Amino acid sequence: VLEAEHRYIQKVVGVVALHADALESGTPPDLDLLSRVVEFIREYADRLHHGKEETLLFPALEQGGVPPQGCPLGILKHEHTAGRALVAELAGAVDGLRAGGEVALGPLVKCLQGLVELYPGHIWKEDYLLFPMTGKVLAADAQSELAAEFEKVDQDFGIDRIHGFEAWADASAASAVGG
Ligand SMILES: [Fe+2]
């Protein structure tokens, strides 16, 4: 489940990377796109996806004997916090641009590039370190229990909303590459 969500997050990070490049070469910021990016990262990546990790998976692993600090859980939690700070910065820049205020493009581009630098490495650590480790730490029944709890999180978040975010990630990645 979490790996599947990573694929959608990566698509959006790809869109962010292309937009950061475009801004650097003089294209004006696409405020609608940036607002959707903020919403996607806050809701889908952070509330839904990191929510599952921080409220369900990490505590289960800690119970299984994985230390809460250091490698890998402490680092991953720290990266989630860093991601939140970058998105807050991005949201502030987008609000400033919408209000017609003077927002320097340099910091906006830096913030987008910060997200592009943070997420792929973070996702790599989870796909190749955290999830394989989970398979060793948690017994099969604990894993299916976790899967059931994830499903409940999805229901609470709204299945249609999840599909909406995923469809938007697909569509914006396709259109960013296509044009
Ligand atoms: Fe993740």
Side-chain angles (χ1 to χ4, degrees), residues 6-31:
H6 280 167
R7 301 291 80 80
Y8 292 103
I9 295 168
Q10 271 172 328
K11 283 188 183 196
V12 174
V13 171
V15 172
V16 169
L18 288 172
H19 197 51
D21 288 351
L23 289 174
E24 271 197 316
S25 49
T27 306
D30 180 341
L31 293 185

Side-chain angles (χ1 to χ4, degrees), residues 2 6 9 49-50 53 80 122-123 126 131:
L2 296 173
H6 280 167
I9 295 168
H49 177 80
H50 295 160
E53 293 174 349
H80 286 173
H122 176 73
I123 287 175
E126 294 191 344
F131 300 156

